[in-house]
């Protein structure tokens, strides 16, 4: 309370020249016992009280003397803005009040102070009663004897008693179960005491009232437990809702970020933490500006949503380097003011990876489709092996399939190098992953790099805008078969060497390295060592590829496989063209004599041609091309022994084949005998023995 609130304005004043007699008259008329003395400018110069008059009369002095001779000049006036307590501390009967310039503006008397105290007490008492009676909880207070001193309206409602009727009564008369008086004896507070009142349970907090260190009473506050139970249930419900909301928010694969209408962060989920690299609760209660300032997100979408008051979608970059697509949605209250901004943050890095995988799958599909279109009727699922040499090589290939060493397959064209790569892949741990075949001699030099390593968007004129996955990426976790590796340009050999060493590469037009787990199998029909000496092939790449060499022998060095291969091709092409052709032993004999410069591919193509063009069901020597018959000659046939059988059985088999060939080639017995260097009777006897007739040969 300020002095200006209690002071008397325009009090009676005196001047220093007035006689004491005049002052007495003014004191009597105004019914005052003190008055300030001011000069002609209104400035305070002293204080004159009735004590001065008594003193003057007691000394028997003249009452016509001026006031200035007797007044109190040593006074400390108050200021209107001083606190009320400063006036009470003064020992003056009346306290002058002056402004900043020293001019008198009022007077504070003891009557003013008493009135102020009384009004303040009444106001405080009324306010206290109002507070006590307005509280929802029941409040009861007793003195040290147990007499009720406070009984608020809540207590009246519970006990059905008026406060006026119970004040001054003993607490046990109104509330027999109460033991509030025990607190007076112990002097200890008793919190959280459970009591029953009128059939309802309450929690009571009882505390002693102390004055000057002495217990003068007890006050008790009663809380209806039913209210607490209701609040507890509501809190539990809110807790469950909050836990459910947390579970929903954190179960989202996308990042969720929620702020209020002023950009203060309220909530974010674990996905957002992983995308941005921040910790849980690190930015809760802070602002979106803090997130931008710390570089967590390049451009928070929340700013734009708060400014434009509509949903906004932006591509952002977090400090983890991840690119995200963020959509911010405002939530409005009934006054159309934004109270929340909910941001959904999706990792474009993950989407890009999924897109690349999709491209890879699509590329594999296209590649396999192309492979199927170009697939010929070859023994691609099973290699036909008869000779010990080939069995030994296949055993080696299968053993090598279990390791990831780089393999270099050498051999003439048509010896089955691609088939060796297929067998190695199908018997490896990568058999359920892609096998990508790339013919380095079939791809133009200017396209080979982009085909092998792929390219990013805008890498060159005419490039697909979304880029393209290369063969290396298509073969991820599988096998990459580089056929005709000797045809690869020197400038690309350097990049291939680096990939073989680090398993990393850069797309054409790209910036970052990509890491791929792939096994390399290369093949060539050229002499790479000779190419190295002629500076046509990199020496370091040669040794990097030639970790484990496999040589496929030409067909002329393993003629024991020819009968089995012919039988296999006959069966395959008969099935393909829905025929039932057979091939005579004489044709096989000629095949055994021929050198096969085109190897297995030449043999396969020839058998297919014979199946298609031969007009009758049996293929004989006459259907063979001229270049094969002339290369072999008529007297070059020989007997091939591929295994040990009884000699008699072998002789009979050779005799039968010779008789069949003679009957097929000649018309008269004499001609047959002349060619076989026996007499005609022997020919007739042997033909009968083996049931060979001219009809059987037609």
């Amino acid at each position: 309370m300020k002095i200006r609130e209690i002071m008397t304005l325009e009090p009676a004043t005196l001047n220093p020249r007035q006689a004491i007699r005049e002052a007495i008259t003014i004191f009597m008329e105004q019914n005052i016992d003190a008055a300030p003395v001011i000069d002609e400018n209104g400035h305070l110069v002293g204080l004159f009280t009735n004590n001065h008059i008594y003193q003057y009369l007691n000394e028997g002095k003249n009452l016509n003397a001026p006031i200035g001779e007797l007044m109190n000049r040593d006074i400390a006036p108050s200021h209107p803005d001083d606190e009320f307590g400063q006036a009470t501390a003064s020992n003056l009967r009346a306290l002058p009040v002056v402004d900043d310039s020293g001019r008198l503006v009022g007077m504070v008397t003891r009557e003013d102070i008493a009135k102020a105290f009384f009004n303040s007490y009444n106001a405080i008492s009324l306010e206290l009663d109002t507070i006590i009676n307005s509280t929802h909880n029941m409040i009861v207070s007793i003195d040290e004897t147990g007499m009720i001193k406070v009984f608020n309206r809540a207590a009246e409602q519970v006990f059905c008693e008026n406060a006026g009727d119970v004040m001054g009564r003993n607490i046990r008369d109104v509330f027999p179960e109460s033991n509030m008086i025990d607190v007076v004896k112990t002097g200890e507070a008793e919190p959280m005491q459970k009591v029953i009142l009128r059939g309802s349970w309450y929690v009571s907090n009882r505390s002693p009232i102390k004055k000057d260190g002495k217990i003068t009473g007890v006050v008790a506050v009663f809380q209806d437990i039913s209210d607490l139970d209701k609040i507890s249930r509501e809190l539990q419900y809110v807790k469950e809702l909050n836990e459910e909301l947390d579970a929903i928010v954190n179960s989202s694969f996308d990042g969720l970020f929620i702020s209020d209408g002023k950009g203060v962060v309220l909530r974010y989920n674990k996905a957002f933490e992983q995308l941005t690299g921040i910790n849980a609760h690190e930015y809760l209660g802070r602002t979106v500006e803090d997130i931008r300032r710390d570089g967590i997100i390049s451009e928070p979408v929340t700013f734009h949503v708060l400014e434009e008051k509509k949903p906004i979608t932006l591509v952002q970059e977090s400090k983890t380097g991840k690119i995200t697509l963020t959509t911010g949605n405002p939530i409005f209250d009934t006054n159309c003011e934004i109270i929340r901004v909910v941001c959904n943050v999706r990792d474009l890095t993950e989407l890009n990876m999924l897109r690349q995988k999709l491209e890879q799958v699509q590329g594999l599909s296209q590649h396999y489709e192309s492979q199927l279109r170009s697939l010929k009727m070859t023994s691609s699922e099973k290699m036909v092996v008869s000779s010990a040499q080939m069995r030994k090589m296949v055993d080696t290939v299968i053993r090598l399939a279990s390791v990831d060493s780089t393999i270099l397959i050498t051999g003439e064209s048509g010896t089955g190098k691609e088939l060796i790569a297929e067998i190695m892949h199908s018997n490896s741990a990568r058999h359920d992953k892609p096998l990508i075949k790339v013919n380095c001699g079939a791809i133009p030099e200017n396209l080979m790099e982009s085909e092998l390593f792929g390219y990013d968007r805008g890498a060159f004129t005419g490039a697909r805008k979304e880029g393209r996955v290369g063969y290396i990426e298509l073969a991820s976790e599988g096998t990459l078969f580089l056929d005709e590796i000797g045809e690869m340009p020197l400038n690309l050999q350097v990049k291939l060497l680096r990939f073989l060493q680090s398993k990393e590469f850069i797309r054409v037009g790209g910036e970052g390295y990509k890491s791929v787990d792939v096994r390399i199998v290369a093949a060539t029909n050229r002499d790479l060592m000779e190419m190295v000496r002629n500076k046509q092939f990199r020496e370091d790449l040669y040794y990097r590829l030639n970790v484990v060499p496999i040589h496929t022998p030409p067909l002329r060095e393993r003629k024991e496989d020819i009968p089995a291969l012919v039988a296999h091709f006959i069966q395959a092409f008969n099935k393909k063209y829905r025929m039932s052709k057979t091939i005579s032993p004489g044709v096989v004999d000629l095949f055994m004599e021929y050198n096969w410069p085109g190897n297995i591919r030449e043999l396969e193509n020839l058998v297919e041609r014979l199946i298609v063009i031969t007009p009758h069901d049996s293929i004989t020597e006459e259907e063979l091309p001229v270049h094969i018959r002339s290369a072999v000659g008529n007297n070059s046939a020989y007997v091939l022994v591929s295994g040990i059988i009884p000699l008699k059985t072998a002789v009979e088999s050779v005799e039968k084949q010779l008789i069949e060939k003679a009957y097929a080639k000649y018309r008269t017995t004499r001609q047959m005998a002349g060619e076989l260097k026996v007499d005609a009777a022997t020919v007739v006897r042997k033909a009968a023995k083996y049931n060979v007739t001219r009809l059987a040969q037609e």
Side-chain angles (χ1 to χ4, degrees):
M1 183 182 295
K2 301 293 184 181
I3 293 293
R4 66 173 67 255
E5 299 178 31
I6 64 172
M7 69 181 184
T8 300
L9 300 176
E10 299 180 356
T13 61
L14 302 173
N15 65 69
R17 294 181 301 276
Q18 283 184 284
I20 296 174
R21 190 182 301 277
E22 294 179 27
I24 294 173
T25 302
I26 293 173
F27 278 20
M28 295 177 62
E29 291 176 351
Q30 298 289 335
N31 194 25
I32 59 177
D33 54 9
V37 182
I38 60 175
D39 60 13
E40 60 274 9
N41 295 320
H43 292 92
L44 179 69
V45 295
L47 181 67
F48 190 77
T49 67
N50 55 5
N51 285 338
H52 293 108
I53 298 174
Y54 299 152
Q55 178 184 351
Y56 215 70
L57 291 175
N58 185 48
E59 294 176 355
K61 295 184 179 181
N62 186 3
L63 294 179
N64 292 321
I67 293 173
E69 296 180 1
L70 192 60
M71 69 180 182
N72 186 358
R73 297 178 180 272
D74 186 17
I75 58 174
S78 184
H79 189 276
D81 291 328
D82 289 344
E83 293 294 331
F84 167 68
Q86 294 179 342
T88 61
S90 175
N91 57 2
L92 296 176
R93 186 174 293 185
L95 182 64
V97 182
V98 299
D99 59 15
D100 293 336
S101 63
R103 294 176 61 86
L104 183 73
V105 295
M107 192 78 164
V108 177
T109 64
R110 291 182 177 178
E111 288 78 6
D112 294 329
I113 294 174
K115 185 185 297 183
F117 268 118
F118 180 77
N119 292 337
S120 176
Y121 171 79
N122 282 341
I124 293 174
S125 177
L126 180 60
E127 183 177 1
L128 181 60
D129 287 342
T130 302
I131 293 173
I132 291 175
N133 286 318
S134 298
T135 184
H136 177 73
N137 294 332
M138 181 173 62
I139 299 176
V140 177
S141 173
I142 62 173
D143 62 14
E144 68 274 17
T145 64
M147 298 302 169
I148 297 175
K149 295 297 183 181
V150 175
F151 200 81
N152 70 346
R153 287 199 182 94
E156 291 179 338
Q157 295 173 358
V158 172
F159 288 98
C160 299
E161 296 274 2
N162 291 325
D165 296 335
V166 300
M167 297 291 279
R169 292 172 58 186
N170 193 284
I171 186 64
R172 295 189 182 276
D173 295 339
V174 179
F175 183 14
E177 301 88 349
S178 174
N179 56 356
M180 290 176 62
I181 195 67
D182 294 341
V183 178
V184 176
K185 299 176 182 178
T186 63
E188 299 292 334
E190 295 180 351
M192 304 299 292
Q193 298 296 312
K194 192 174 181 181
V195 298
I196 187 169
L197 298 174
R198 304 290 182 177
S200 298
W201 286 100
Y202 290 80
V203 171
S204 173
N205 293 313
R206 298 188 285 267
S207 303
I209 302 173
K210 295 182 179 180
K211 183 177 181 181
D212 298 330
K214 181 181 178 181
I215 298 177
T216 61
V218 178
V219 61
V221 179
F222 298 85
Q223 172 71 51
D224 191 343
I225 291 181
S226 61
D227 293 340
L228 294 177
D229 288 342
K230 181 179 179 182
I231 294 173
S232 177
R233 288 193 300 270
E234 291 176 351
L235 288 175
Q236 182 63 29
Y237 178 68
V238 171
K239 181 181 178 182
E240 291 174 356
L241 280 180
N242 193 55
E243 291 175 349
E244 183 177 352
L245 180 59
D246 281 339
I248 293 173
V249 169
N250 284 319
S251 66
S252 172
F253 180 79
D254 293 337
L256 291 177
F257 178 84
I258 304 170
S259 65
D260 65 12
K262 295 182 180 179
V264 177
V265 181
L266 301 178
R267 187 190 298 268
Y268 49 81
N269 66 351
K270 293 181 180 178
F272 184 81
E273 296 171 16
Q274 295 172 353
L275 287 172
T276 57
I278 65 176
N279 298 326
H281 312 301
E282 181 179 357
Y283 281 88
L284 293 182
R286 299 172 64 180
T287 65
V288 180
E289 176 60 33
D290 294 332
I291 290 180
R292 176 165 64 178
R293 185 189 62 248
D294 295 344
I296 304 301
I297 297 177
S298 59
E299 186 64 23
V301 73
T302 304
F303 287 129
H304 300 280
V305 174
L306 293 175
E307 180 180 349
E308 301 184 30
K309 297 183 181 298
K310 66 178 183 180
I312 300 291
T313 298
L314 291 177
V315 175
Q316 302 172 323
E317 181 176 1
S318 65
K319 74 172 185 180
T320 60
K322 292 188 176 182
I323 305 300
T324 59
L325 181 68
T326 303
T327 299
N329 288 288
I331 298 177
F332 298 92
D333 61 11
T334 56
N335 297 322
C336 295
E337 294 294 331
I338 296 179
I339 58 173
R340 295 289 185 274
V341 177
V342 180
C343 297
N344 181 276
V345 186
R346 174 155 296 179
D347 186 2
L348 289 183
T349 307
E350 185 72 19
L351 292 178
N352 288 334
M353 290 177 60
L354 292 174
R355 179 178 60 80
Q356 290 178 4
K357 289 183 179 179
L358 178 60
E359 289 179 2
Q360 185 172 347
V361 171
Q362 291 173 341
L364 283 172
S365 177
Q366 295 171 0
H367 179 79
Y368 289 146
E369 183 179 349
S370 175
Q371 290 287 327
L372 288 172
R373 284 198 304 265
S374 62
L375 183 65
K376 295 181 179 180
M377 183 58 68
T378 60
S379 181
S380 59
E381 296 180 356
K382 180 179 179 182
M383 176 173 275
V384 177
V385 177
S386 178
S387 64
Q389 181 183 11
M390 288 301 295
R391 284 197 295 270
K392 181 178 179 181
M393 187 192 72
V394 171
D395 290 342
T396 301
V397 169
I398 293 177
R399 286 199 307 273
L400 292 174
S402 62
V403 297
D404 272 350
S405 299
T406 302
I407 306 296
L408 178 61
I409 307 173
T410 59
E412 296 179 8
S413 179
T415 55
K417 296 186 291 298
E418 182 177 334
L419 188 55
I420 294 296
E422 290 179 359
I423 293 174
M424 187 170 296
H425 175 75
S426 62
N427 287 276
S428 71
R430 301 172 181 264
H431 66 275
D432 57 344
K433 300 298 181 181
L435 169 62
I436 302 299
K437 305 173 186 177
V438 180
N439 190 325
C440 299
I443 303 175
E445 182 176 342
N446 60 334
L447 295 179
M448 185 171 292
E449 182 178 1
S450 61
E451 290 293 314
L452 194 60
F453 296 102
Y455 59 84
D456 278 347
R457 54 190 299 179
F460 50 84
T461 303
R464 293 165 55 184
K465 64 179 182 179
E466 68 274 14
R468 183 175 179 180
V469 177
Y471 288 126
I472 290 179
E473 285 185 78
L474 288 177
S476 177
E477 299 183 4
T479 304
L480 179 65
F481 176 55
L482 298 175
D483 199 6
E484 302 298 342
I485 189 67
E487 307 300 326
M488 180 173 288
L490 282 169
N491 64 325
L492 196 56
Q493 291 179 24
V494 179
K495 295 186 177 182
L496 177 60
L497 175 63
R498 190 193 183 287
F499 171 70
L500 289 175
Q501 292 172 339
S502 64
K503 297 299 183 183
E504 292 182 338
F505 69 95
I506 302 178
R507 281 185 177 184
V508 176
E511 295 180 355
Y513 281 95
K514 291 182 175 292
S515 179
V516 177
D517 173 26
V518 62
R519 183 184 190 177
I520 302 296
V521 178
T524 182
N525 60 3
R526 302 183 64 179
D527 186 350
L528 292 186
M529 199 65 221
E530 180 66 23
M531 293 181 67
V532 169
R533 287 192 289 268
N534 296 332
K535 306 298 183 182
Q536 296 175 321
F537 200 84
R538 292 184 62 92
E539 183 177 7
D540 47 6
L541 178 59
Y542 170 73
Y543 288 113
R544 190 70 187 181
L545 291 172
N546 197 34
V547 177
V548 181
I550 294 178
H551 180 71
T552 56
L555 188 56
R556 62 181 174 274
E557 295 180 4
R558 51 185 178 102
K559 289 187 176 181
E560 301 95 316
D561 293 320
I562 290 177
L565 288 169
V566 171
H568 173 74
F569 292 143
I570 288 289
Q571 181 182 5
F573 289 120
N574 273 334
K575 182 178 180 180
K576 178 179 179 180
Y577 298 115
R578 298 180 182 178
M579 296 181 179
S580 57
K581 300 289 181 71
T582 61
I583 192 165
S584 68
V587 174
V588 177
D589 290 341
L590 291 176
F591 285 172
M592 298 290 288
E593 278 292 291
Y594 185 57
N595 280 333
W596 299 106
N599 293 296
I600 300 174
R601 186 179 294 113
E602 182 184 4
L603 175 61
E604 179 186 5
N605 292 340
L606 178 59
V607 172
E608 182 177 10
R609 186 193 318 166
L610 293 174
I611 290 288
V612 173
I613 67 174
T614 300
H616 42 79
D617 289 341
S618 179
I619 301 171
T620 63
E621 293 94 321
E622 283 76 9
E623 276 73 43
L624 294 179
V626 176
H627 73 278
I628 293 181
R629 285 185 293 176
S630 61
V632 174
N634 293 328
N635 299 317
S636 60
Y638 70 98
V639 177
L640 174 68
V641 178
S642 59
I644 299 177
I645 60 175
L647 183 59
K648 181 180 180 181
T649 303
V651 171
E652 290 177 348
S653 175
V654 172
E655 285 182 345
K656 180 180 179 182
Q657 292 182 49
L658 289 173
I659 296 298
E660 287 177 344
K661 288 181 179 293
Y663 266 78
K665 187 173 183 179
Y666 300 103
R667 292 188 174 274
T668 66
T669 304
R670 184 176 289 109
Q671 290 174 327
M672 299 178 197
E675 183 68 24
L676 296 174
K677 307 301 182 182
V678 295
D679 55 35
T682 300
V683 173
V684 173
R685 180 168 49 82
K686 295 290 184 181
K689 177 182 178 180
Y690 300 120
N691 195 26
V692 177
T693 63
R694 188 171 302 281
L695 181 61
Q697 300 299 316
E698 294 179 352

